[in-house]
């Protein structure tokens, strides 16, 4: 059989001079200068670019379909078989109603519903996503809320994958959708506690959230509430737990500023709680008669909780409530009338701490070697019950209602696996790999109990390592399809995430970004040294900023990998961080550095940017994926990277590109359609591990 020929990408050298440094980009032509219009209407994509993307998709299909299509179908069927098709959430009570979402058999999208509190009949359908999605290639709902008086239901829908949302409202008395649409919205909004106003965020022509507006909930003129002039800031809106204030959140990865509006006077201009100071993050909530502030101020590297009784909770009024404790990363908190609940992470595992208003606190912990806990906030403030979710790589999700006074746990739901799941068949372990500088990097491993540890088992190593996002040791119906085939699934908790605290994040950003890459390689070598894998029998997998990780480790150690899967990979770092028109460029300078103004930042980024560092190396098989409407990692990043890899690779391993022409950053929007994309990734991993490409 003759292997299909990959598309030949033309080279048009473009010279770029910046801060006295010059680079040449042969594939800059792949970026459609009309990209803003493409986000909203992909049909306007330049013809030559579309032709090349179509050719790339055809090449990937031609190379993978014959050897892996039956495997893809089997993987998809397995993953779908682990999903309870008529699943529903645990109802969340609010006043006279219980609110929930549920799925019907075969549906890609859920129904949002409510019924009288404590009953199982009398459903009122609030939103039928499945019905609204019919005939649309992409449909995704962002925020969806009922008004506090239970008379309206509002939702934000993205029908392109571009993350430009349209907000619509439904009158729950008549069942009619109001003749009001809010266009070019961010996927976040909130009702005022009196239900009379809707606060929403406008997304500008550069796809950035830049203004907060207020409008009458049933329609009317918009009033500007807040305008952010710094392109590097994100915006959010919400209300405090006790419904005393409306909150406008302004921030990026390292700096926060919060503006407040008293709920009793929702048309009043907002006032700032504590003015922004670079490097200081804070979030706050109102606890009946005082403010609770989570912050890293005053050197609280792993954050602390402070309190204030002032009307305006400025820094000068803060006093410590839960002092900073190094190694105990306070990741969040929830306020209830009689209790304060906080979530902490200690050495990559979670625990919940409950503090009574009357004094004293206690912990909720589980004893698995690697597990994850999360708070699942409800609607009600004056309640003794909080809800949390427990899971581990071997244990499906469990939803518990927890009485904070009596400490009684009530299991409300266990994730059902229709095709069956026996946790006793598996083992999850927490290993520690030593990085080059001596740092101990956690690795979470999932495998069958009888998997041999002699290096013969195929290994998939997953990583992310950016923005302070931790890779929780969670349960995945998807990973089991590889593990059940004798694979070992390992997650590397590299620096750049907050798995070991906020300092773990700071040690993997800006000038320290290379730590993320060397940590990942250290994890691969530790796993190999201990029989979990070996060079050439490992597949590396990561997406978005984790795709940058994939590009970097492919450049640094191509010999380690049987294959590399890079989903929506952020690989053209230097060009993207130098283009101020792109949605995420100014907001992400705190993460990567600003190569337009800072020569050291330019040199650091240039030293690791996967696209810029591609060179004459024996690259392993690579699968890169993307979405045409993606505003976060634009389609041309993986397109350019694949072209350059093919140009320079000294091996004959295939370099593949798959672009979803009808989706954005998250891929396909349906719960089953998305699994088809995962099945392709996993089939590629197996094909690459078995060197199926050598027979093509």
């Amino acid at each position: 059989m003759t292997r299909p020929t990959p598309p030949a990408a033309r080279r048009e050298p473009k010279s770029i001079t910046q801060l006295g440094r010059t680079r040449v980009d042969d594939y800059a032509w792949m970026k459609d200068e009309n990209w803003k219009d493409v986000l909203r209407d992909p049909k306007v994509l330049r013809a030559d670019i579309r032709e090349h993307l179509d050719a790339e998709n055809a090449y990937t299909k031609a190379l993978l379909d014959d050897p892996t299509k039956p495997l893809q179908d089997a993987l998809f069927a397995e993953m779908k078989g682990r999903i309870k098709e008529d699943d529903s959430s645990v109802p969340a009570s609010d006043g006279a109603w219980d609110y929930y979402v549920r799925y019907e058999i075969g549906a890609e999208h859920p129904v949002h519903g409510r019924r009288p509190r404590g009953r199982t009949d009398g459903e009122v359908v609030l939103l039928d996503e499945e019905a609204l999605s019919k005939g649309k290639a992409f449909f995704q709902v962002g925020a969806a809320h009922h008004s506090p008086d239970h008379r309206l239901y509002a939702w934000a829908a993205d029908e392109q994958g571009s993350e430009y949302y349209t907000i619509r409202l439904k009158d729950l008395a008549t069942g009619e959708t109001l003749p009001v649409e809010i266009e070019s919205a961010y996927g976040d909004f909130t009702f005022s506690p009196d239900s009379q106003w809707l606060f929403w965020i406008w997304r500008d022509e550069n796809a950035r959230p830049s203004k907060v507006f207020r409008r009458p909930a049933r329609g009317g003129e918009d009033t500007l509430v807040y305008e952010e002039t710094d392109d590097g800031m994100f915006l959010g809106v919400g209300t405090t737990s006790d419904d005393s204030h409306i909150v406008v959140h302004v921030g990026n990865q390292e700096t926060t500023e919060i503006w407040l509006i008293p709920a009793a006077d929702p048309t009043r201009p907002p006032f700032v709680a504590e003015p922004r100071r670079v490097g200081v993050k804070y979030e706050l909530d109102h606890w009946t008669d005082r403010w609770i502030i989570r912050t890293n101020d005053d050197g609280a590297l792993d954050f602390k909780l402070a309190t204030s009784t002032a009307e305006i909770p400025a820094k000068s009024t803060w006093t410590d409530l839960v002092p900073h404790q190094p190694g105990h990363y306070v990741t969040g908190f929830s306020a209830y009338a009689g209790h304060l609940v906080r979530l902490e992470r200690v050495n990559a595992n979670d625990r919940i701490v409950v503090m009574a208003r009357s004094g004293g606190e206690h912990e909720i912990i589980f004893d698995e070697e690697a597990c994850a806990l999360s708070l699942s906030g409800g609607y009600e403030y004056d309640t003794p019950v909080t809800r949390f979710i427990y899971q581990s790589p071997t244990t499906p999700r469990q939803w518990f209602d927890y009485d904070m006074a009596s400490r009684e746990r009530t299991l409300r739901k266990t994730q059902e696996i229709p095709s069956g799941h026996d946790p006793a068949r598996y083992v999850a372990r927490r290993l520690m790999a030593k990085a080059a500088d001596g740092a101990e990097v956690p690795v979470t491993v999932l495998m069958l109990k009888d998997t041999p540890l002699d290096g013969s088992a195929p290994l998939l190593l997953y990583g992310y390592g950016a923005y302070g996002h931790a890779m929780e040791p969670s349960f995945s119906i998807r990973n089991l399809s590889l593990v059940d085939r004798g694979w070992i699934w390992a997650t590397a908790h590299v620096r750049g995430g907050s798995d070991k605290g906020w300092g773990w994040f700071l040690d993997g950003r800006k000038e320290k970004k290379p730590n993320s890459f060397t940590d990942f390689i250290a994890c691969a070598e530790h796993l190999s040294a201990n029989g979990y894998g070996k060079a050439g029998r490992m597949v590396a997998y990561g997406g978005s900023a984790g795709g940058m990780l994939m590009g970097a480790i492919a450049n640094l150690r191509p010999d380690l990998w049987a294959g590399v899967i890079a989903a929506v990979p952020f690989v053209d770092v230097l060009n993207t961080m130098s283009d101020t028109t792109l949605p995420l460029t100014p907001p992400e300078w705190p993460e990567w550095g600003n190569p337009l103004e800072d020569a050291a930042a330019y040199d650091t980024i240039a030293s690791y940017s996967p696209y810029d560092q591609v060179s004459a190396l024996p690259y392993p098989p690579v699968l890169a994926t993307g979405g045409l409407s993606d505003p976060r990692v634009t389609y041309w990043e993986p397109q350019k990277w694949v072209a350059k890899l093919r140009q320079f690779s000294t091996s004959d391993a295939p370099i593949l590109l798959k672009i979803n022409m009808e989706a954005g950053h998250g891929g396909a929007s349906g719960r089953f359609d998305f699994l088809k994309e995962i099945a392709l990734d996993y089939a590629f991993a197996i094909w690459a591990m078995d060197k199926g490409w050598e027979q093509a």
Side-chain angles (χ1 to χ4, degrees):
M1 176 181 175
T2 303
R3 187 194 298 181
T5 302
R10 71 178 187 271
R11 294 164 60 185
E12 294 182 2
K14 178 182 178 181
S15 181
I16 304 166
T17 299
Q18 197 170 319
L19 297 179
R21 294 147 172 81
T22 298
R23 62 186 185 274
V24 176
D25 188 348
D26 286 339
Y27 302 106
W29 65 267
M30 294 179 175
K31 174 188 174 184
D32 191 331
E33 294 304 320
N34 200 31
W35 64 266
K36 296 176 187 178
D37 293 330
V38 173
L39 282 182
R40 292 179 179 269
D41 182 7
K43 292 192 295 294
V44 304
L45 180 68
R46 209 173 72 207
D48 61 326
I49 299 174
R50 179 176 293 277
E51 182 181 353
H52 186 263
L53 290 176
D54 287 343
E56 289 284 8
N57 283 341
Y59 171 64
T60 297
K61 181 179 175 63
L63 197 60
L64 290 183
D65 258 18
D66 281 346
T68 74
K69 190 60 170 67
L71 175 59
Q72 290 181 52
D73 292 343
L75 289 164
F76 171 72
E78 290 168 13
M79 291 185 278
K80 185 178 179 182
R82 298 189 190 103
I83 295 176
K84 180 175 169 57
E85 291 207 28
D86 55 348
D87 202 5
S88 61
S89 65
V90 181
S93 298
D94 188 13
W97 297 95
D98 284 339
Y99 288 85
Y100 54 90
V101 296
R102 62 172 179 81
Y103 285 90
E104 296 182 348
I105 292 175
E108 294 276 0
H109 303 274
V111 170
H112 301 228
R114 73 179 183 188
R115 55 181 179 245
R117 187 169 185 150
R119 284 169 48 184
T120 57
D121 62 341
E123 177 180 78
V124 176
V125 173
L126 308 171
L127 174 65
D128 187 342
E129 288 191 35
E130 184 72 1
L132 291 176
S133 72
K134 295 301 183 185
K136 300 180 177 72
F138 185 94
F139 182 83
Q140 185 165 309
V141 169
H145 306 303
H146 64 274
S147 59
D149 64 5
H150 307 279
R151 295 178 179 177
L152 294 172
Y153 198 73
W155 68 94
D158 174 10
E159 299 182 6
Q160 186 56 61
S162 63
E163 300 182 36
Y164 278 99
Y165 288 83
T166 299
I167 300 173
R168 298 177 175 89
L169 294 97
K170 182 178 182 179
D171 185 322
L172 297 180
T174 66
E176 297 297 320
T177 300
L178 298 178
V180 176
E181 292 186 354
I182 304 174
E183 302 283 356
S184 296
Y186 209 49
D188 188 22
F189 63 85
T190 192
F191 285 101
S192 59
D194 64 5
S195 301
Q196 299 305 302
W197 303 93
L198 189 75
F199 289 78
W200 65 279
I201 301 168
W202 180 65
R203 196 160 196 149
D204 67 18
E205 60 276 4
N206 288 321
R208 296 185 190 122
S210 59
K211 296 178 182 179
V212 176
F213 288 98
R214 179 190 69 245
R215 69 160 55 187
R218 290 180 177 269
E221 291 188 6
D222 288 309
T223 300
L224 180 64
V225 173
Y226 178 85
E227 181 173 5
E228 178 55 47
T229 58
D230 185 342
D231 289 339
M233 291 294 179
F234 295 99
L235 297 178
V237 291
T239 58
T240 57
S241 295
D242 64 359
D243 285 337
S244 63
H245 291 77
I246 298 147
V247 179
V248 176
H249 185 278
V250 186
N252 58 24
Q253 288 91 342
E254 64 179 7
T255 304
T256 307
E257 183 174 79
I258 292 177
W259 294 73
L260 300 165
I261 303 169
D265 189 6
T267 61
R268 172 180 167 180
F271 59 86
V272 68
E274 168 63 18
R276 67 189 73 178
R277 288 176 282 136
V278 174
V280 174
K281 292 179 67 70
Y282 72 96
E283 61 182 293
L284 51 75
D285 202 354
H286 201 253
W287 196 23
T288 307
D289 59 353
R290 71 196 79 166
W291 295 94
I292 304 297
I293 304 100
R294 171 183 170 268
T295 183
N296 65 345
D297 205 3
D298 299 319
L301 182 63
D302 284 321
F303 288 75
K304 64 179 180 178
L305 295 185
T307 184
S308 170
T309 57
E311 178 183 356
I312 300 176
K315 162 67 187 298
S316 59
T317 69
W318 297 356
T319 58
D320 282 2
L321 177 66
V322 178
H324 176 237
Q325 185 177 356
H328 288 244
Y329 174 38
V330 180
T331 60
F333 69 96
S334 296
Y336 299 89
H339 297 85
L340 191 70
V341 185
R342 72 180 184 271
L343 193 62
E344 295 184 352
R345 183 174 302 126
V346 181
N347 209 20
N349 273 336
D350 299 319
R351 67 176 188 171
I352 294 171
V353 183
V354 178
M355 173 187 292
R357 179 178 286 275
S358 57
E361 63 180 40
H362 65 275
E363 297 179 6
I364 305 172
I365 54 176
F366 289 78
D367 59 3
E368 281 199 75
E369 191 171 339
C371 61
L373 287 168
S374 58
L375 299 174
S376 178
Y379 298 111
E380 297 186 322
Y381 177 67
D382 192 5
T383 174
V385 176
T386 189
R387 182 171 293 165
F388 67 86
I389 303 168
Y390 168 75
Q391 59 184 313
S392 78
T394 62
T395 307
R397 291 169 180 80
Q398 297 176 327
W399 285 258
F400 290 92
D401 280 354
Y402 183 76
D403 190 303
M404 295 175 282
S406 69
R407 306 189 186 184
E408 180 182 358
R409 263 181 223 176
T410 302
L411 178 61
R412 293 294 306 274
K413 177 184 176 180
T414 297
Q415 180 181 359
E416 186 178 333
I417 312 298
S419 58
H421 174 69
D422 179 8
R425 295 181 60 218
Y426 306 90
V427 60
R429 293 176 180 160
R430 172 60 56 76
L431 311 176
M432 287 291 179
K434 183 160 288 189
D437 61 358
E440 296 282 330
V441 185
V443 187
T444 300
V445 171
L446 174 68
M447 61 186 184
L448 292 168
K449 280 188 173 178
D450 59 0
T451 299
L453 294 181
D454 58 5
S456 63
L459 172 79
L460 187 142
L461 184 59
Y462 182 84
Y464 186 72
Y467 307 119
H469 294 327
M471 294 293 99
E472 298 277 14
S474 55
F475 182 78
S476 170
I477 62 163
R478 305 188 295 271
N479 302 353
L480 295 175
S481 284
L482 285 180
V483 173
D484 285 351
R485 285 174 167 78
W487 283 61
I488 296 173
W489 182 286
T491 300
H493 303 273
V494 301
R495 280 174 283 190
S498 61
D499 307 67
K500 291 181 70 174
W502 200 244
W504 199 244
F505 159 59
L506 297 179
D507 278 347
R509 69 197 282 264
K510 286 189 173 179
E511 71 278 0
K512 297 182 179 180
K513 187 63 206 169
N515 283 337
S516 302
F517 316 139
T518 53
D519 282 359
F520 192 85
I521 291 169
C523 290
E525 292 176 331
H526 182 80
L527 289 163
S528 180
N530 288 275
Y532 291 88
K534 65 181 179 183
R537 286 193 57 77
M538 296 184 277
V539 171
Y541 190 13
S544 194
M548 175 202 297
L549 176 64
M550 295 302 100
I553 57 93
N555 288 332
L556 291 170
R557 290 293 304 276
D559 59 298
L560 287 176
W561 320 112
V564 173
I565 305 168
V568 289
F570 178 31
V571 284
D572 194 10
V573 188
L574 189 54
N575 282 321
T576 294
M577 285 297 102
S578 300
D579 186 346
T580 58
T581 69
L582 293 173
L584 294 185
T585 294
E588 298 210 346
W589 284 332
E591 180 82 12
W592 316 108
N594 182 350
L596 291 172
E597 299 179 356
D598 184 343
Y602 183 107
D603 292 341
T604 298
I605 294 172
S607 74
Y608 68 72
S609 175
Y611 177 68
D612 294 279
Q613 286 298 315
V614 170
S615 59
L617 294 168
Y619 286 98
V622 171
L623 173 63
T625 62
L628 184 59
S629 302
D630 188 350
R632 297 172 182 255
V633 178
T634 49
Y635 72 85
W636 60 82
E637 294 214 21
Q639 184 185 15
K640 291 171 61 178
W641 181 52
V642 162
K644 193 170 182 181
L645 283 171
R646 286 207 196 107
Q647 176 188 341
F648 280 91
S649 181
T650 60
S651 79
D652 61 351
I655 311 294
L656 306 178
L657 176 66
K658 175 68 170 67
I659 295 291
N660 188 326
M661 304 296 278
E662 298 175 329
H665 195 63
S669 55
R671 60 172 176 160
F672 301 135
D673 283 347
F674 172 69
L675 295 178
K676 294 176 183 177
E677 297 184 344
I678 302 300
L680 173 66
D681 292 347
Y682 288 7
F684 171 83
I686 294 170
W687 178 75
M689 183 66 70
D690 294 341
K691 297 189 182 299
W693 52 274
E694 291 185 341
Q695 285 77 52

